Short mmCIF file of all heavy atoms in Angstrom, two decimals:
data_model
loop_
_atom_site.label_atom_id
_atom_site.label_comp_id
_atom_site.label_asym_id
_atom_site.label_seq_id
_atom_site.Cartn_x
_atom_site.Cartn_y
_atom_site.Cartn_z
N ALA A 3 173.15 125.61 100.15
CA ALA A 3 174.45 125.00 100.40
C ALA A 3 174.26 123.72 101.19
O ALA A 3 174.95 122.74 101.00
CB ALA A 3 175.35 125.98 101.13
N TYR A 4 173.30 123.82 102.12
CA TYR A 4 173.03 122.62 102.96
C TYR A 4 172.48 121.51 102.11
O TYR A 4 172.95 120.34 102.17
CB TYR A 4 171.94 122.95 104.03
CG TYR A 4 171.47 121.68 104.71
CD1 TYR A 4 172.14 121.07 105.69
CD2 TYR A 4 170.25 121.10 104.29
CE1 TYR A 4 171.68 119.93 106.26
CE2 TYR A 4 169.77 119.92 104.80
CZ TYR A 4 170.53 119.34 105.88
OH TYR A 4 170.11 118.17 106.39
N PHE A 5 171.59 121.84 101.17
CA PHE A 5 171.03 120.74 100.27
C PHE A 5 172.07 120.24 99.32
O PHE A 5 172.00 119.05 98.94
CB PHE A 5 169.77 121.24 99.57
CG PHE A 5 168.58 121.21 100.42
CD1 PHE A 5 167.94 122.36 100.80
CD2 PHE A 5 168.09 120.02 100.81
CE1 PHE A 5 166.83 122.31 101.61
CE2 PHE A 5 166.91 119.92 101.67
CZ PHE A 5 166.34 121.09 101.96
N ASP A 6 173.03 121.06 98.92
CA ASP A 6 174.10 120.56 98.06
C ASP A 6 174.81 119.45 98.78
O ASP A 6 175.15 118.40 98.19
CB ASP A 6 175.14 121.61 97.79
CG ASP A 6 174.61 122.62 96.68
OD1 ASP A 6 173.61 122.33 96.07
OD2 ASP A 6 175.15 123.68 96.58
N ALA A 7 175.08 119.60 100.05
CA ALA A 7 175.75 118.53 100.91
C ALA A 7 174.87 117.37 101.05
O ALA A 7 175.32 116.20 100.98
CB ALA A 7 176.18 119.18 102.20
N HIS A 8 173.60 117.64 101.40
CA HIS A 8 172.63 116.51 101.63
C HIS A 8 172.49 115.59 100.38
O HIS A 8 172.57 114.33 100.43
CB HIS A 8 171.32 117.09 102.04
CG HIS A 8 170.32 116.02 102.52
ND1 HIS A 8 170.35 115.50 103.79
CD2 HIS A 8 169.30 115.45 101.90
CE1 HIS A 8 169.42 114.59 103.87
NE2 HIS A 8 168.71 114.55 102.76
N TYR A 9 172.27 116.24 99.25
CA TYR A 9 172.15 115.42 98.03
C TYR A 9 173.48 114.75 97.59
O TYR A 9 173.39 113.71 96.99
CB TYR A 9 171.60 116.38 96.90
CG TYR A 9 170.12 116.38 96.86
CD1 TYR A 9 169.39 117.20 97.65
CD2 TYR A 9 169.38 115.55 95.97
CE1 TYR A 9 167.99 117.26 97.69
CE2 TYR A 9 168.00 115.55 95.99
CZ TYR A 9 167.31 116.44 96.85
OH TYR A 9 165.94 116.43 96.83
N LYS A 10 174.58 115.35 97.96
CA LYS A 10 175.85 114.71 97.71
C LYS A 10 175.95 113.40 98.50
O LYS A 10 176.47 112.36 98.00
CB LYS A 10 177.05 115.68 98.00
CG LYS A 10 178.33 115.24 97.38
CD LYS A 10 179.32 116.36 97.49
CE LYS A 10 180.63 116.06 96.83
NZ LYS A 10 181.61 117.09 96.90
N ALA A 11 175.50 113.47 99.69
CA ALA A 11 175.46 112.27 100.60
C ALA A 11 174.57 111.23 100.01
O ALA A 11 174.91 109.97 99.96
CB ALA A 11 175.13 112.59 102.01
N LEU A 12 173.34 111.57 99.55
CA LEU A 12 172.43 110.67 98.92
C LEU A 12 173.03 110.00 97.70
O LEU A 12 172.82 108.85 97.45
CB LEU A 12 171.08 111.34 98.61
CG LEU A 12 170.23 111.79 99.82
CD1 LEU A 12 169.05 112.61 99.27
CD2 LEU A 12 169.79 110.59 100.59
N ALA A 13 173.74 110.85 96.91
CA ALA A 13 174.37 110.26 95.66
C ALA A 13 175.47 109.25 96.03
O ALA A 13 175.58 108.21 95.45
CB ALA A 13 174.94 111.45 94.87
N PHE A 14 176.19 109.55 97.11
CA PHE A 14 177.25 108.60 97.54
C PHE A 14 176.64 107.31 98.00
O PHE A 14 177.10 106.27 97.64
CB PHE A 14 178.09 109.25 98.66
CG PHE A 14 179.15 108.37 99.16
CD1 PHE A 14 180.42 108.46 98.54
CD2 PHE A 14 178.97 107.45 100.23
CE1 PHE A 14 181.45 107.57 99.00
CE2 PHE A 14 180.04 106.64 100.66
CZ PHE A 14 181.28 106.70 100.01
N MET A 15 175.53 107.39 98.69
CA MET A 15 174.78 106.18 99.12
C MET A 15 174.37 105.37 97.96
O MET A 15 174.38 104.12 98.06
CB MET A 15 173.58 106.54 100.03
CG MET A 15 174.02 107.19 101.34
SD MET A 15 172.58 107.99 102.19
CE MET A 15 171.38 106.62 102.26
N LYS A 16 173.93 105.95 96.93
CA LYS A 16 173.49 105.27 95.75
C LYS A 16 174.62 104.65 94.96
O LYS A 16 174.56 103.50 94.50
CB LYS A 16 172.65 106.17 94.83
CG LYS A 16 172.07 105.57 93.63
CD LYS A 16 171.19 106.54 92.82
CE LYS A 16 170.63 105.88 91.56
NZ LYS A 16 169.83 106.87 90.72
N GLU A 17 175.72 105.41 94.87
CA GLU A 17 176.86 104.97 94.03
C GLU A 17 177.83 104.01 94.74
O GLU A 17 178.49 103.23 94.13
CB GLU A 17 177.61 106.18 93.54
CG GLU A 17 176.79 107.07 92.58
CD GLU A 17 177.38 108.46 92.45
OE1 GLU A 17 178.53 108.70 92.91
OE2 GLU A 17 176.69 109.31 91.85
N HIS A 18 177.81 104.16 96.10
CA HIS A 18 178.76 103.34 96.90
C HIS A 18 177.98 102.77 98.09
O HIS A 18 178.33 103.03 99.25
CB HIS A 18 179.94 104.18 97.38
CG HIS A 18 180.68 104.92 96.25
ND1 HIS A 18 181.61 104.31 95.48
CD2 HIS A 18 180.51 106.24 95.89
CE1 HIS A 18 182.06 105.18 94.65
NE2 HIS A 18 181.50 106.34 94.84
N PRO A 19 176.97 101.95 97.87
CA PRO A 19 176.18 101.37 98.94
C PRO A 19 176.88 100.67 100.05
O PRO A 19 176.62 100.82 101.23
CB PRO A 19 175.13 100.56 98.24
CG PRO A 19 175.79 100.21 96.93
CD PRO A 19 176.56 101.38 96.57
N ASP A 20 177.87 99.85 99.65
CA ASP A 20 178.58 99.08 100.61
C ASP A 20 179.41 99.92 101.56
O ASP A 20 179.46 99.75 102.75
CB ASP A 20 179.47 98.07 99.98
CG ASP A 20 178.68 96.95 99.26
OD1 ASP A 20 177.53 96.77 99.60
OD2 ASP A 20 179.23 96.26 98.38
N GLU A 21 180.13 100.95 100.96
CA GLU A 21 180.92 101.83 101.73
C GLU A 21 180.01 102.69 102.68
O GLU A 21 180.39 102.92 103.84
CB GLU A 21 181.73 102.75 100.89
CG GLU A 21 182.75 103.62 101.67
CD GLU A 21 183.70 104.46 100.81
OE1 GLU A 21 183.72 104.27 99.58
OE2 GLU A 21 184.30 105.36 101.40
N ALA A 22 178.87 103.17 102.16
CA ALA A 22 177.95 103.95 102.98
C ALA A 22 177.45 103.12 104.18
O ALA A 22 177.40 103.67 105.31
CB ALA A 22 176.78 104.43 102.14
N LEU A 23 177.11 101.88 103.94
CA LEU A 23 176.63 101.06 105.04
C LEU A 23 177.74 100.81 106.04
O LEU A 23 177.51 100.80 107.24
CB LEU A 23 176.17 99.72 104.50
CG LEU A 23 174.72 99.67 103.95
CD1 LEU A 23 174.40 98.34 103.35
CD2 LEU A 23 173.73 100.00 105.06
N ALA A 24 179.01 100.65 105.61
CA ALA A 24 180.12 100.45 106.51
C ALA A 24 180.35 101.65 107.36
O ALA A 24 180.58 101.55 108.59
CB ALA A 24 181.41 100.14 105.70
N ILE A 25 180.22 102.81 106.79
CA ILE A 25 180.32 104.11 107.51
C ILE A 25 179.23 104.20 108.60
O ILE A 25 179.46 104.52 109.77
CB ILE A 25 180.26 105.27 106.52
CG1 ILE A 25 181.55 105.31 105.68
CG2 ILE A 25 180.13 106.63 107.33
CD1 ILE A 25 181.40 106.34 104.54
N ALA A 26 177.99 103.86 108.15
CA ALA A 26 176.90 103.95 109.09
C ALA A 26 177.04 102.96 110.25
O ALA A 26 176.69 103.22 111.39
CB ALA A 26 175.54 103.73 108.34
N ALA A 27 177.40 101.69 109.85
CA ALA A 27 177.55 100.67 110.89
C ALA A 27 178.61 101.04 111.94
O ALA A 27 178.40 100.86 113.17
CB ALA A 27 177.98 99.37 110.28
N LYS A 28 179.70 101.63 111.46
CA LYS A 28 180.73 102.12 112.36
C LYS A 28 180.25 103.14 113.32
O LYS A 28 180.48 103.09 114.58
CB LYS A 28 181.96 102.64 111.60
CG LYS A 28 183.10 103.08 112.45
CD LYS A 28 184.27 103.56 111.62
CE LYS A 28 185.42 104.10 112.49
NZ LYS A 28 186.57 104.63 111.69
N GLU A 29 179.52 104.18 112.81
CA GLU A 29 178.98 105.21 113.59
C GLU A 29 177.96 104.72 114.63
O GLU A 29 177.94 105.18 115.73
CB GLU A 29 178.33 106.28 112.66
CG GLU A 29 177.51 107.37 113.41
CD GLU A 29 178.37 108.31 114.24
OE1 GLU A 29 179.63 108.34 114.07
OE2 GLU A 29 177.79 109.09 115.02
N GLN A 30 177.15 103.75 114.21
CA GLN A 30 176.07 103.20 115.08
C GLN A 30 176.62 102.11 116.00
O GLN A 30 175.86 101.63 116.82
CB GLN A 30 174.95 102.69 114.23
CG GLN A 30 174.24 103.72 113.38
CD GLN A 30 173.18 104.49 114.16
OE1 GLN A 30 172.25 103.97 114.64
NE2 GLN A 30 173.52 105.73 114.37
N LYS A 31 177.85 101.64 115.75
CA LYS A 31 178.47 100.60 116.56
C LYS A 31 177.64 99.31 116.41
O LYS A 31 177.31 98.64 117.46
CB LYS A 31 178.63 101.02 118.07
CG LYS A 31 179.54 102.18 118.21
CD LYS A 31 179.63 102.58 119.69
CE LYS A 31 180.68 103.66 119.94
NZ LYS A 31 180.40 104.92 119.21
N ILE A 32 177.27 98.94 115.20
CA ILE A 32 176.58 97.78 114.94
C ILE A 32 177.30 97.03 113.84
O ILE A 32 178.20 97.60 113.18
CB ILE A 32 175.10 98.02 114.49
CG1 ILE A 32 175.03 98.87 113.23
CG2 ILE A 32 174.30 98.62 115.59
CD1 ILE A 32 173.64 99.08 112.71
N SER A 33 176.99 95.72 113.59
CA SER A 33 177.67 94.98 112.54
C SER A 33 177.13 95.39 111.20
O SER A 33 176.09 96.04 111.08
CB SER A 33 177.33 93.49 112.79
OG SER A 33 175.94 93.18 112.46
N LEU A 34 177.96 95.12 110.18
CA LEU A 34 177.50 95.40 108.81
C LEU A 34 176.20 94.66 108.43
O LEU A 34 175.38 95.24 107.75
CB LEU A 34 178.62 95.02 107.84
CG LEU A 34 178.47 95.40 106.42
CD1 LEU A 34 178.23 96.92 106.29
CD2 LEU A 34 179.60 94.94 105.53
N GLU A 35 176.06 93.46 108.96
CA GLU A 35 174.84 92.66 108.74
C GLU A 35 173.71 93.38 109.32
O GLU A 35 172.61 93.42 108.76
CB GLU A 35 174.95 91.28 109.33
CG GLU A 35 175.97 90.36 108.60
CD GLU A 35 177.46 90.76 108.92
OE1 GLU A 35 177.74 91.42 109.84
OE2 GLU A 35 178.29 90.45 107.99
N ASP A 36 173.82 93.96 110.53
CA ASP A 36 172.68 94.67 111.16
C ASP A 36 172.34 95.95 110.42
O ASP A 36 171.21 96.33 110.27
CB ASP A 36 173.00 95.03 112.63
CG ASP A 36 172.95 93.80 113.53
OD1 ASP A 36 172.26 92.76 113.14
OD2 ASP A 36 173.58 93.81 114.56
N ALA A 37 173.41 96.58 109.88
CA ALA A 37 173.21 97.78 109.09
C ALA A 37 172.39 97.48 107.78
O ALA A 37 171.53 98.22 107.41
CB ALA A 37 174.51 98.45 108.77
N LYS A 38 172.74 96.36 107.15
CA LYS A 38 172.06 95.93 105.93
C LYS A 38 170.63 95.62 106.24
O LYS A 38 169.70 95.87 105.39
CB LYS A 38 172.78 94.72 105.34
CG LYS A 38 174.13 94.98 104.67
CD LYS A 38 174.74 93.76 104.09
CE LYS A 38 176.10 94.08 103.42
NZ LYS A 38 176.76 92.82 102.90
N ALA A 39 170.34 95.06 107.45
CA ALA A 39 169.01 94.75 107.76
C ALA A 39 168.16 96.07 108.06
O ALA A 39 166.93 96.11 107.78
CB ALA A 39 168.94 93.85 108.97
N GLN A 40 168.84 97.07 108.56
CA GLN A 40 168.21 98.33 108.82
C GLN A 40 167.80 99.13 107.57
O GLN A 40 166.74 99.78 107.48
CB GLN A 40 169.07 99.25 109.74
CG GLN A 40 169.23 98.75 111.15
CD GLN A 40 168.03 99.05 112.01
OE1 GLN A 40 167.49 100.13 112.01
NE2 GLN A 40 167.44 97.97 112.60
N MET A 41 168.68 99.11 106.58
CA MET A 41 168.57 99.98 105.45
C MET A 41 167.21 99.97 104.70
O MET A 41 166.67 100.98 104.36
CB MET A 41 169.72 99.73 104.47
CG MET A 41 169.90 100.80 103.43
SD MET A 41 170.39 102.39 104.21
CE MET A 41 170.56 103.40 102.74
N PRO A 42 166.68 98.71 104.48
CA PRO A 42 165.38 98.68 103.76
C PRO A 42 164.18 99.31 104.52
O PRO A 42 163.13 99.41 103.92
CB PRO A 42 165.18 97.15 103.56
CG PRO A 42 166.51 96.53 103.76
CD PRO A 42 167.24 97.37 104.71
N LEU A 43 164.41 99.61 105.84
CA LEU A 43 163.28 100.08 106.58
C LEU A 43 163.07 101.61 106.32
O LEU A 43 162.09 102.14 106.80
CB LEU A 43 163.55 99.91 108.07
CG LEU A 43 163.82 98.51 108.48
CD1 LEU A 43 164.05 98.43 110.06
CD2 LEU A 43 162.64 97.59 108.17
#
């Protein structure tokens, strides 16, 4: 059940990358540009 949720999140990141980055940026309290710079790492 845990992995069902985890893989669902990974699928969302792949299908909706901009929204996923916006969600992460908000949680991390960083700009969207900084979030985009972090993601490839």
